[in-house]
Amino acid sequence: MFNREGEVNRLRDSLNEPLIVVFGLRRVGKSSLIKAVLNEHMPNSYFYIDLRRFEERGYVSYRDFVKALEDTINDRVRSRKLMTMLSKIRGVSISGFRVSFSWGADRVMLADILEIINDWAGDEGLRAIIVLDEAQELVKAKGFNILPTLAYTYDNLRNITLIITGSEFRVFTKFLKLTYPESPLFGRAYVDITLRPFSRDQAVEFLRRGFAEHGIEFNEAERIYEELGGNPGWLTLFGYRALRVGVHEALNEVKMEAVKLIRREVCNFINEGRHLAERRYIRILETCMNGCSWSMIKRTLEAMEGRELNNATVASLIKALLDYSLLIKEGDNYALPDKLMRDAVMGLRCFTNYP
Ligand SMILES: Nc1ncnc2c1ncn2[C@@H]1O[C@H](COP(=O)(O)OP(=O)(O)O)[C@@H](O)[C@H]1O
Ligand SMILES: [Mg+2]
């Protein structure tokens, strides 16, 4: 992990805490950080659930979630002893070397599974780490709510650490709600690790060193930073491609790919019941390409619609974009979170182009 010594150490030193929240924009390196630390320090006792698999879905059912948990137990942890212990609880069966959870009438209880994992970790002298990667997807959970179980785990299961990651601010405002009195997790302390994109200097150094490892002296790092910004994901992809197809071609490919991905993310947001306000959202993003203020957003929307808008309407549009981290706050102003978002949002039409 380039340039993440502080975060690596902090995560490693916090692995006995009940709750760690790793926040950062997409492709900034959250999953890599967690996997690097856990593979080194807890390789046999972490349960990794990648919720991105539900990204394009309208909702997440109990069956989906339980299946994801089942997969990590079968494919990652693979402890015979844990499986035997799990087989004692309701809704669990074992066949061959795989555990299977039922979600129907005889549905397995999440709290039961976590109790067993806690006991197993205690017996084995291990710390069990449960990773919910991109947990904002669980806002769409339908027919179950995992939060009370997480609170129960936090309060009672002393051998379990929860690691929650999120790329969107709503992991705090809509999922964990740690500061909301009505939330089961209200008031719980947690370790907060926020990953930021590389600065200009870090990005340049990252590229130079990456190329140097392949015996190449790279002199265009500044220019690449100008084009791609400091997101480690884009820089890594660029480096990887550049070695194959050359700098020029790689830059074009990464830009195109980034634009495609970002458009999909913006359109997922629009498609979550926001069609009617599509033009407003896109206009806000266009307006904020080079930074913008609240009143600038309001004026631009009013100009587009040719009428006055009330402040509450404008505020709720901005809040939704902030919640999904499609817009970020910088002091009193707003900005786009990723340089390449400019190209992605210019003239974007989700409803017609990206159903
Ligand atoms: N500090 C880093 N050093 C080297 N590569 C990194 C670093 N951070 C991220 N990457 C690379 O960037 C890409 C995106 O990282 P990832 O961990 O998937 O991001 P996230 O989980 O935040 O979306 C991966 O290919 C990863 O290898
Ligand atoms: Mg990730």
Side-chain angles (χ1 to χ4, degrees):
M1 297 298 292
F2 176 82
N3 202 255
R4 297 289 193 213
E5 290 78 15
E7 291 88 349
V8 165
N9 292 341
R10 192 162 152 74
L11 180 57
R12 183 200 57 215
D13 295 344
S14 306
L15 289 175
N16 285 321
E17 301 289 330
L19 176 62
I20 303 168
V21 182
V22 180
F23 182 73
L25 299 173
R26 276 162 210 285
R27 297 168 287 271
V28 83
K30 301 177 295 299
S31 304
S32 320
L33 171 77
I34 291 169
K35 286 179 186 166
V37 169
L38 295 180
N39 283 332
E40 187 174 341
H41 299 283
M42 308 263 168
N44 301 317
S45 60
Y46 76 87
F47 301 74
Y48 185 91
I49 302 182
D50 183 358
L51 294 153
R52 263 185 328 183
R53 65 203 248 176
F54 305 121
E55 214 164 41
E56 311 258 306
R57 298 260 296 267
Y59 65 90
V60 179
S61 68
Y62 191 64
R63 173 185 178 167
D64 295 329
F65 186 77
V66 152
K67 180 82 179 68
L69 188 55
E70 191 184 290
D71 287 347
T72 187
I73 293 173
N74 288 327
D75 302 330
R76 258 226 82 254
V77 180
R78 292 196 275 171
S79 156
R80 172 74 78 181
K81 169 139 189 232
L82 172 60
M83 291 183 185
T84 309
M85 290 173 78
L86 283 168
S87 69
K88 308 277 190 301
I89 57 179
R90 195 182 66 156
V92 178
S93 56
I94 306 268
S95 70
F97 195 38
R98 297 184 77 79
V99 64
S100 144
F101 296 141
S102 91
W103 60 83
D106 197 28
R107 59 153 60 177
V108 67
M109 303 291 290
L110 274 179
D112 288 349
I113 299 176
L114 290 167
E115 289 263 4
I116 296 289
I117 289 176
N118 184 64
D119 292 348
W120 166 77
D123 288 0
E124 301 284 284
L126 295 168
R127 181 97 195 156
I129 316 277
I130 314 259
V131 185
L132 299 180
D133 198 4
E134 301 292 0
Q136 69 273 345
E137 299 304 327
L138 287 173
V139 171
K140 311 187 281 209
K142 205 165 138 184
F144 75 107
N145 179 4
I146 188 183
L147 228 47
T149 313
L150 296 186
Y152 175 79
T153 303
Y154 185 108
D155 293 339
N156 301 294
L157 304 181
R158 294 305 157 90
N159 304 317
I160 294 184
T161 293
L162 301 167
I163 300 183
I164 309 280
T165 90
S167 290
E168 299 172 12
F169 197 65
R170 70 192 166 115
V171 77
F172 295 109
T173 55
K174 297 268 158 61
F175 181 63
L176 293 169
K177 299 190 276 194
L178 290 146
T179 58
Y180 295 38
E182 79 282 10
S183 165
L185 275 174
F186 174 65
R188 303 301 193 288
Y190 66 99
V191 176
D192 180 358
I193 299 179
T194 300
L195 292 182
R196 297 183 195 289
F198 294 156
S199 66
R200 169 186 293 269
D201 288 352
Q202 291 165 346
V204 166
E205 179 63 15
F206 180 60
L207 288 170
R208 287 217 180 110
R209 266 212 239 159
F211 281 100
E213 277 174 25
H214 293 268
I216 296 167
E217 194 186 318
F218 190 61
N219 297 318
E220 295 176 85
E222 296 272 351
R223 181 166 78 86
I224 301 304
Y225 173 81
E226 285 303 323
E227 301 260 5
L228 299 182
N231 188 304
W234 302 142
L235 297 173
T236 308
L237 186 62
F238 164 77
Y240 175 78
R241 293 281 169 82
L243 294 173
R244 280 143 205 267
V245 300
V247 170
H248 182 72
E249 190 59 23
L251 191 55
N252 285 338
E253 281 181 20
V254 172
K255 276 191 190 166
M256 266 170 51
E257 213 154 308
V259 163
K260 216 165 75 189
L261 267 167
I262 295 170
R263 285 191 171 158
R264 200 155 81 214
E265 285 157 14
V266 174
C267 291
N268 284 342
F269 166 81
I270 299 289
N271 283 330
E272 278 179 28
R274 298 187 179 86
H275 293 117
L276 293 177
E278 173 175 357
R279 287 182 62 221
R280 288 176 168 182
Y281 284 117
I282 302 294
R283 179 51 58 94
I284 294 176
L285 295 176
E286 288 172 341
T287 305
C288 295
M289 266 177 205
N290 301 310
C292 62
S293 65
W294 203 94
S295 54
M296 206 167 136
I297 293 176
K298 185 170 186 223
R299 273 200 312 275
T300 317
L301 290 177
E302 288 180 338
M304 176 175 84
E305 300 190 10
R307 66 191 176 97
E308 263 185 41
L309 291 177
N310 68 42
N311 286 349
T313 305
V314 178
S316 86
L317 294 166
I318 294 175
K319 175 155 188 319
L321 289 168
L322 289 173
D323 252 353
Y324 281 70
S325 294
L326 294 173
L327 195 66
I328 53 175
K329 201 149 189 216
E330 283 185 345
D332 283 338
N333 289 327
Y334 302 95
L336 301 189
D338 192 311
K339 231 174 201 168
L340 294 171
M341 228 175 123
R342 295 180 184 192
D343 302 322
V345 299
M346 271 297 277
L348 178 61
R349 300 273 310 269
C350 296
F351 204 32
T352 48
N353 296 347
Y354 303 89

